[in-house]
Amino acid sequence: MRLIFLGPPGAGKGTQAVFVKETYGLAHISTGDILRAQVKQETELGKAAKGYMDAGKLVPDDVIIGMIRERLGEEDCAKGFILDGFPRTVPQAVALAELLQSMGRNLTAVICFDAADDLLVERLSGRRTCRNCGAIYNVSFHPPEKENVCDACGGPLMQRDDDREEVIRNRLRVYKEQTAPLIEHYEHEGLLRRFDAGGAPDSLVALVAELAGKDDA
Ligand code: AP5
């Protein structure tokens, strides 16, 4: 399967990707995770991206498209992948279509995560992420057993720099202006599947199982 997880910040794309990746043996490609790793390593790309990310703005298309081109060529993508947080603009979607065509591949579906703004702000304000392994928690909805310690690896939990309320509000604005137009774009292509992301964390299971059953790639 080759899936896109499209949706606003805090909708649960990263949380759901872990389950889908493990169940179906797909590569999980999160452009946000790749960028945060670059920031942590203080690479040139990371230094250039940090200002945009901290302000809740999108990193320029050419940077992101170059990153994806490289990543999709890696071996673990052969069996399929989940694109989490990409594409986020129409030019990114056009570049992805060209790239997949050149590889003789197509998309299985674009899953659009829907949730109300107030819920997204609540989720993001309470999100904590493991500094070592990247596991995602939430102080209200999914707390770790021991405060600020990762259940999976024992690493320290941290709050993302862009999970402050004023930055969250800007990310939601940017999503509506620049990314939401992709919903119509993919609906027009017959690839869009909607998902109510306001429910329980495991509610995507049935939809992905249905897509896997139909997938002929
Ligand atoms: P990115 O890392 O992609 O952030 P995002 O899209 O804003 O998405 P999030 O990671 O915030 O949310 P999510 O939907 O994955 O939610 P999660 O599962 O963590 O991008 C960050 C920045 O990088 C961007 O602002 C931009 O600057 C740059 N960037 C990245 N990609 C780019 C691109 N393509 N082009 C340009 N720039 C790009 O869940 C959130 C919280 O809710 C967690 O605490 C979780 O435990 C909880 N939760 C999840 N599901 C549930 C549930 N069902 N019930 C209760 N709680 C839940």
Side-chain angles (χ1 to χ4, degrees), residues 5-24 28-30 33 36 82-85 111 113 120 123-124 126-130 133-139 141-143 160 163 195 197-205 208:
F5 283 5
L6 177 68
K13 304 180 297 295
T15 301
Q16 301 280 3
V18 173
F19 157 76
V20 177
K21 165 195 165 152
E22 283 169 6
T23 309
Y24 298 98
H28 172 207
I29 304 173
S30 157
D33 285 351
R36 277 184 291 280
I82 305 160
L83 288 170
D84 164 5
I111 301 182
F113 288 56
L120 299 171
R123 282 185 182 174
L124 291 171
R127 173 165 57 188
R128 299 292 181 274
T129 310
C130 176
C133 73
I136 303 168
Y137 297 88
N138 192 287
V139 292
F141 304 116
H142 174 41
R160 268 172 46 175
D163 279 349
F195 163 64
D202 58 358
S203 48
L204 190 67
V205 175
V208 178

Side-chain angles (χ1 to χ4, degrees), residues 2-57:
R2 285 175 288 276
L3 303 172
I4 291 177
F5 283 5
L6 177 68
K13 304 180 297 295
T15 301
Q16 301 280 3
V18 173
F19 157 76
V20 177
K21 165 195 165 152
E22 283 169 6
T23 309
Y24 298 98
L26 308 178
H28 172 207
I29 304 173
S30 157
T31 39
D33 285 351
I34 298 172
L35 290 167
R36 277 184 291 280
Q38 297 281 332
V39 170
K40 199 170 162 189
Q41 291 162 30
E42 299 184 352
T43 63
E44 286 309 311
L45 195 160
K47 285 181 202 161
K50 187 170 172 20
Y52 294 101
M53 297 172 78
D54 286 351
K57 295 180 183 164

